[in-house]
Amino acid sequence: MNAQTWVLGGTGRSGRAIAAELTRRGLSAVLVGRDTDRLRAAAQRTGGETLLAPSLDDAAAEIRRRRPGVVVNTVGPFTTTAPAVIDACRAAGSHYIDLANDVEALSAVSERHDAAAEAGHTLVTGAGFGVTATESVVVKLCAGLPPALRVRTDMVPSISMEEGTAGEALIGTLLGGLRGRRITDGRLAPARIGADAQRLTLPDGSEVTTAGMPLGELLAAQRASGARFVLSASSEAPSSPLMRAVIPAVSTLMRSERLRSFTTRRLARVRVEARERPREHSWGHAVVTWADGEIREGWLRVGDAQRYTGAVPAEVARRLLAGEGRPGAYTPAALFGATLAEACGGEYLLTRPGRR
């Protein structure tokens, strides 16, 4: 095993952000992709090396042969790509990181905990803004306390958009979030997308509406708190009455793996226009309630959510290469604690505990 960190999908926006952050930390980054010209351009922007891999199978074969220290997977949909990459990492003894943010993908990686622990390598899933920002707040609020009763998390990203295509990772995450769920009495249960809308006043005084959207932070928050009831919400959730009426039918159709895969590929090619980020900061937020009535609330403030999504995998890779991890499958704060978010540029703002 060598000390390189490979970034699969290194020509995409997330891949470039990760490579740049790896270089900034003095680590050796290798951008892996299938287009020579785009690889060369990305390497010039980030300071990384390049490796041409025409397909995911080719990339997996190269992992087995060259045995990089860490592999960061940015190629979606992660329910499809993660198994092959993780199997290659296990054979090579490499650590694995991905940017998954849907319930199915996080669950699938978590189910490999025992196998990873036995093989002696580490799997880190959900190493992007949404899971890391909200999970870290929950970990911070729950430190040293017994299991909570209820948790609500709110993800409020602020991100600029480049002109181009959305990409399969993002579309796969969004489609995964169309199946409404929450955790009720310790188990995943159906819930309406866009329900439980709440107007939040951010610490900077601005306001935003968040509503139920069951992405990967739902599982991460439950595991961090031990809560029996968990709701995850996002400012990106569709909360209008019309969208709430339409989404149940769409989500039913998306349960077909074949249809979901087809839709993901098609929507990933749709071009989006460039736009500035809507606010100065991105926020992770959580409110945790205990059975005795104690309530704690906290925020994590970061800048551009995309840049933060580059910083988290880079910092996780640095720590894994330094031998600071442990074998098994984890989400970022579950492995490295609440300080990870601060090392990536986040700042906590906690309110005074209270009671109902």
Side-chain angles (χ1 to χ4, degrees):
M1 186 171 71
N2 61 54
Q4 291 180 330
T5 297
W6 286 16
V7 184
L8 306 188
T11 61
R13 190 178 183 189
S14 294
R16 298 196 310 268
I18 295 166
E21 289 289 336
L22 288 166
T23 300
R24 192 172 70 82
R25 286 164 170 75
L27 302 176
S28 176
V30 178
L31 290 82
V32 182
R34 57 190 180 189
D35 186 301
T36 301
D37 292 337
R38 293 185 64 191
L39 279 172
R40 187 179 297 114
Q44 290 175 348
R45 294 174 62 177
T46 63
E49 302 176 34
T50 65
L51 175 65
L52 182 66
S55 70
L56 186 67
D57 288 342
D58 292 322
E62 289 296 324
I63 291 168
R64 287 183 169 90
R65 186 169 72 87
R66 303 196 189 193
R67 305 179 65 208
V70 178
V71 176
V72 183
N73 181 17
T74 75
V75 182
F78 295 103
T79 50
T80 300
T81 64
V85 179
I86 290 173
D87 287 346
C89 287
R90 183 178 62 229
S94 306
H95 301 304
Y96 171 89
I97 303 169
D98 70 32
L99 305 184
N101 192 21
D102 61 270
V103 171
E104 286 80 6
L106 262 72
S107 296
V109 174
S110 297
E111 289 170 359
R112 290 175 173 255
H113 175 83
D114 291 343
E118 183 178 350
H121 72 139
T122 304
L123 314 178
V124 180
T125 186
F129 165 74
V131 171
T132 306
T134 55
E135 176 195 31
S136 296
V137 178
V138 176
V139 169
K140 185 80 170 177
L141 294 173
C142 294
L145 295 175
L149 176 63
R150 298 181 184 276
V151 174
R152 174 179 174 131
T153 66
D154 298 277
M155 176 182 70
V156 186
S158 180
I159 186 170
S160 60
M161 295 293 293
E162 293 180 345
E163 182 180 359
T165 57
E168 290 191 19
L170 175 59
I171 297 300
T173 294
L174 293 175
L175 291 179
L178 290 180
R179 184 180 176 187
R181 282 167 293 185
R182 66 175 70 205
I183 291 176
T184 301
D185 203 16
R187 298 183 178 183
L188 281 171
R192 290 183 66 86
I193 294 293
D196 300 285
Q198 178 174 302
R199 191 70 175 169
L200 288 177
T201 299
L202 305 177
D204 62 10
S206 61
E207 293 187 340
V208 65
T209 297
T210 65
M213 191 171 184
L215 298 176
E217 50 262 33
L218 182 71
L219 297 183
Q222 196 277 332
R223 291 166 184 169
S225 65
R228 291 168 50 205
F229 301 90
V230 183
L231 170 70
S232 64
S234 171
S235 60
E236 307 302 292
S239 56
S240 71
L242 176 60
M243 289 302 295
R244 290 202 303 268
V246 170
I247 282 174
V250 176
S251 63
T252 299
L253 292 174
M254 289 301 101
R255 292 178 187 177
S256 164
E257 184 61 34
R258 183 175 180 180
L259 180 58
R260 182 171 167 178
S261 177
F262 171 78
T263 304
T264 298
R265 292 194 303 271
R266 292 296 297 268
L267 291 179
R269 301 190 191 105
V270 174
R271 297 196 67 81
V272 296
E273 296 182 355
R275 72 171 190 185
E276 296 296 322
R277 69 185 208 234
R279 60 186 68 86
E280 182 179 3
H281 296 109
S282 301
W283 301 90
H285 174 248
V287 177
V288 184
T289 305
W290 280 265
D292 65 0
E294 181 174 353
I295 299 175
R296 293 191 174 191
E297 179 180 14
W299 302 81
L300 181 76
R301 179 174 63 197
V302 306
D304 186 295
Q306 183 66 60
R307 182 168 182 180
Y308 199 73
T309 293
V312 172
E315 178 62 19
V316 170
R318 185 194 69 77
R319 296 186 183 199
L320 292 176
L321 289 170
E324 298 176 16
R326 59 186 185 273
Y330 307 91
T331 43
L335 180 58
F336 291 119
T339 60
L340 175 71
E342 295 172 308
C344 298
E347 179 183 0
Y348 290 107
L349 298 124
L350 307 180
T351 61
R352 184 174 299 176
R355 289 186 179 275
R356 288 183 298 197

